[in-house]
């Protein structure tokens, strides 16, 4: 297959099929090879650059502090010190926004208040988080700000409630409270709350402002960043939703103090993912510091969150609506979503399903001859150290996987495209050009029937 190589600073490379660079879009890519080793800024040099409209090649700088991150990569958590406040910017032109990361940020009321538009706020949270942090957030929004009125809606907790019936409770509260187009929705909780609140904000009165306050590792390192919002359907995960960016993301790492051990481990699956697909140095750091992360070392967690957000911000800035590059963030998700849908939403946490899905994607990559066995072994080892599954539930069958994967969002013209590892650690492909025999062999290896 013919390809064009776009060379970027620090040897960042994109290989794109030249015969598909047309109509000012790459939304129909069948093969995309991605390599981003810790680049702090991205620019493109090519006659084809005008065709890549979604990549935003004219951005001079992504401003995500990648260079400063590299400088502390080899430091132990104890030497890194406490991050009072770090700001990572998601660079999307007039939709750009900051990600604030630090301890005690909910006590810094000006951070939230400067991102509130209008006089009405609706906080969307759940039954687990409301007793812990709702009052603190209401205070942060209203303290010294008497013109702002704060309402709240408390939803049931769990992936099984990420559906249209629960979403309607948000709309019911907003309409009953007579909120207008200048109101601000605030998502206070994990990934489920963030996805639903964001989708509600995108839909209510055809779009109102919203803020993300993620309280789980999973939400802090992944789902709260990038503007993916939505709900599940009984036939597939996240099939109904919209791309809708927040005004800001406020990550108070103190909220992780109340996070259950299982939820902590679940979030680390997404942290591991960033290392595998695009940041080998970060993966090496994780291998050295996994015990510190599990022990909730504040500096280790702050660094892992910061570096994960930097990685995701870089990708989102290049490809906001997942036309190509952003799809690589879904390593293991096609297999993992099939597990969640077939096994039942909420039976396994999202990160647990993704961990098993990553093992399957790595297994398939190895069967294709695209990676060596050392990567396979390192993936198994780090997931085991993180107390995450390395195989799907025993009830999963080949047919279950295939039926759910057939309606995956990455299917194009009937072709299932997958994110697989290829080459040295930190490299991946988003492709539909693979030997179907390898996929069948992987499914058969992990399923009894």
């Amino acid at each position: 297959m013919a390809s064009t190589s776009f060379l970027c600073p620090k040897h960042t490379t994109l290989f794109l099929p030249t015969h598909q660079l047309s109509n000012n879009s790459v939304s129909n890519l069948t093969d995309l090879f991605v390599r981003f080793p810790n680049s702090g800024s991205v620019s493109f040099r090519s006659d084809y650059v005008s065709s890549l409209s979604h990549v935003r090649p004219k951005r001079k700088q992504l401003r995500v502090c990648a260079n400063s991150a590299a400088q502390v990569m080899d430091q132990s958590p104890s030497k890194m010190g406490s991050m009072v406040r770090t700001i990572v910017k998601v660079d999307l032109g007039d939709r750009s926004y900051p990600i604030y990361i630090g301890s005690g940020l909910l006590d810094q009321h000006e951070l939230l208040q400067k991102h509130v538009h209008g006089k009405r706020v609706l906080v969307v949270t759940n039954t687990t988080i409301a007793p812990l942090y709702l009052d603190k957030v209401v205070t942060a929004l209203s303290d010294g700000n008497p013109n702002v009125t704060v309402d709240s809606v408390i939803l049931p907790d769990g992936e099984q409630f990420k559906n249209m019936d629960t979403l309607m409770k948000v709309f019911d509260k907003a309409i009953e409270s007579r909120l207008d187009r200048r109101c601000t929705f605030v998502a206070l909780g994990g990934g489920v709350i963030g996805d639903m609140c964001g989708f509600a904000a995108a839909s209510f009165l055809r779009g109102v402002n919203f803020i993300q306050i993620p309280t789980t590792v999973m939400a802090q390192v992944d789902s709260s960043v990038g503007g993916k919002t939505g709900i599940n359907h009984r036939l597939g995960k996240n099939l109904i939703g919209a791309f809708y960016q927040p005004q800001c993301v406020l990550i108070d790492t103190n909220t992780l103090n109340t996070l259950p051990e299982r939820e902590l481990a679940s979030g680390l699956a997404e942290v591991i993912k960033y290392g595998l697909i695009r940041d080998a140095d970060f993966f090496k750091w994780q291998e050295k510091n996994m015990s510190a992360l599990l022990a909730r070392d504040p500096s280790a967690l702050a660094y892992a969150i910061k570096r994960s957000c930097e990685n995701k911000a870089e990708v989102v800035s290049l490809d906001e609506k997942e036309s190509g590059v952003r799809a690589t963030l879904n390593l293991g998700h096609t297999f993992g979503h099939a597990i969640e849908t077939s096994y039942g939403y909420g039976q396994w946490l999202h990160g647990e399903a993704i961990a098993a899905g990553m093992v399957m994607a790595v297994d398939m990559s190895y069967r294709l001859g695209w990676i060596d066995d050392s990567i396979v072994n390192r993936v198994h080892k780090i997931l085991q150290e993180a107390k995450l599954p390395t195989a799907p539930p025993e009830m999963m069958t080949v047919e279950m996987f295939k039926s759910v994967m057939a309606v995956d969002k990455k299917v194009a013209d009937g072709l299932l495209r997958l994110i697989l590892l290829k080459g040295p650690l930190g490299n991946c492909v988003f492709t539909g050009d693979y030997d179907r025999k390898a996929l069948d062999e992987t499914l058969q290896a992990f399923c009894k029937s």
Side-chain angles (χ1 to χ4, degrees):
M1 178 182 296
S3 65
T4 295
S5 173
F6 297 90
L7 297 179
C8 305
K10 300 191 178 180
H11 312 294
T12 300
T13 307
L14 286 177
F15 297 97
L16 303 174
T18 57
H19 67 284
Q20 293 180 355
L21 294 177
S22 60
N23 300 324
N24 292 324
S25 173
V26 292
S27 60
N28 61 340
L29 284 180
T30 59
D31 192 28
L32 175 61
F33 183 89
V34 183
R35 186 169 185 265
F36 287 121
N38 303 332
S39 58
S41 61
V42 176
S43 61
F44 292 87
R45 294 183 284 108
S46 170
D47 294 336
Y48 290 98
V49 75
S50 61
S51 299
L52 300 177
S53 58
H54 79 286
V55 179
R56 300 182 181 273
K58 296 181 181 180
R59 283 273 181 253
K60 292 184 178 180
Q61 189 178 14
L62 295 181
R63 296 196 296 183
V64 293
C65 310
N67 293 333
S68 63
Q71 294 172 1
V72 299
M73 185 67 73
D74 295 326
Q75 296 183 23
S76 65
S78 60
K79 294 180 181 179
M80 288 166 56
S82 176
M83 290 182 174
V84 176
R85 187 196 299 178
T86 297
I87 301 176
V88 175
K89 182 178 180 181
V90 181
D91 192 357
L92 293 169
D94 59 1
R95 295 181 313 287
S96 298
Y97 56 92
I99 306 168
Y100 302 108
I101 307 169
S103 61
L105 297 191
L106 287 176
D107 296 319
Q108 299 179 29
H109 301 167
E110 75 283 355
L111 282 183
L112 275 182
Q113 291 184 15
K114 71 180 181 179
H115 293 286
V116 171
H117 296 186
K119 299 179 180 180
R120 303 294 302 280
V121 177
L122 177 64
V123 179
V124 181
T125 188
N126 64 35
T127 52
T128 300
I129 297 301
L132 298 171
Y133 301 112
L134 179 56
D135 287 346
K136 181 181 283 287
V137 169
V138 171
T139 299
L141 289 163
S142 58
D143 183 39
N145 200 12
N147 293 326
V148 168
T149 301
V150 182
D151 292 291
S152 63
V153 57
I154 301 174
L155 306 178
D157 185 15
E159 186 79 29
Q160 65 270 33
F161 299 108
K162 187 180 171 184
N163 54 39
M164 189 64 74
D165 289 341
T166 306
L167 184 69
M168 283 298 163
K169 297 180 186 297
V170 181
F171 293 133
D172 290 345
K173 182 64 177 180
I175 295 169
E176 290 168 1
S177 301
R178 299 185 180 182
L179 301 188
D180 57 31
R181 284 182 171 172
R182 284 185 53 78
C183 72
T184 299
F185 284 16
V186 174
L188 173 63
V192 171
I193 287 296
D195 280 7
M196 285 200 296
C197 179
F199 189 32
S203 307
F204 182 64
L205 301 179
R206 296 187 175 90
V208 298
N209 299 307
F210 90 107
I211 292 170
Q212 289 269 19
I213 305 179
T215 60
T216 66
V217 173
M218 174 67 67
Q220 291 177 357
V221 303
D222 186 67
S223 61
S224 68
V225 179
K228 275 189 178 181
T229 71
I231 57 174
N232 300 330
H233 188 277
R234 61 181 178 80
L235 298 178
K237 185 177 171 69
N238 293 333
L239 294 182
I240 303 167
F243 288 97
Y244 198 68
Q245 303 296 342
Q247 298 297 305
C248 75
V249 179
L250 189 145
I251 299 174
D252 187 335
T253 54
N254 288 354
T255 60
L256 299 182
N257 295 336
T258 55
L259 190 67
E261 295 291 336
R262 186 181 173 192
E263 290 274 5
L264 175 67
S266 174
L268 293 177
E270 296 285 1
V271 175
I272 292 167
K273 172 200 72 180
Y274 290 115
L276 290 175
I277 64 171
R278 67 188 312 270
D279 196 340
D281 287 339
F282 186 32
F283 187 85
K284 294 174 185 175
W285 179 88
Q286 294 168 32
E287 289 178 311
K288 295 177 181 178
N289 293 284
M290 185 54 66
S291 59
L293 291 172
L294 291 172
R296 303 173 193 253
D297 181 284
S299 295
L301 283 172
Y303 178 71
I305 294 165
K306 170 178 175 285
R307 189 66 198 130
S308 296
C309 287
E310 288 172 344
N311 272 293
K312 186 158 189 181
E314 290 175 2
V315 174
V316 171
S317 296
L318 291 170
D319 178 16
E320 180 181 3
K321 296 189 176 180
E322 203 169 87
S323 299
V325 178
R326 184 169 177 175
T328 61
L329 296 173
N330 293 313
L331 176 71
H333 284 56
T334 302
F335 296 103
H337 287 173
I339 293 171
E340 290 183 273
T341 302
S342 301
Y343 196 26
Y345 296 127
Q347 295 300 311
W348 270 21
L349 297 177
H350 177 64
E352 294 170 338
I354 297 310
M358 287 195 294
V359 172
M360 297 178 74
V362 169
D363 177 87
M364 183 174 166
S365 302
Y366 178 71
R367 292 177 188 275
L368 289 166
W370 292 355
I371 59 173
D372 60 43
D373 60 357
S374 67
I375 294 178
V376 177
N377 294 333
R378 290 172 73 182
V379 170
H380 272 267
K381 183 179 179 181
I382 198 168
L383 289 174
Q384 289 172 344
E385 289 180 354
K387 302 178 182 179
L388 288 165
T390 55
E394 291 186 0
M395 52 76 62
M396 291 297 296
T397 66
V398 172
E399 182 54 37
M400 284 179 179
F401 272 108
K402 287 188 173 182
S403 63
V404 178
M405 291 164 75
V407 296
D408 186 85
K409 297 186 295 299
K410 292 177 289 299
V411 172
D413 297 324
L415 180 69
L416 176 62
R417 298 175 295 174
L418 294 171
I419 296 87
L420 301 168
L421 301 187
K422 189 171 187 178
L425 185 71
N427 297 274
C428 66
V429 292
F430 172 43
T431 183
D433 186 15
Y434 55 82
D435 186 345
R436 293 313 188 260
K437 181 180 178 182
L439 174 58
D440 289 338
E441 289 176 349
T442 291
L443 292 177
Q444 291 166 6
F446 284 89
C447 300
K448 289 185 177 181
S449 61

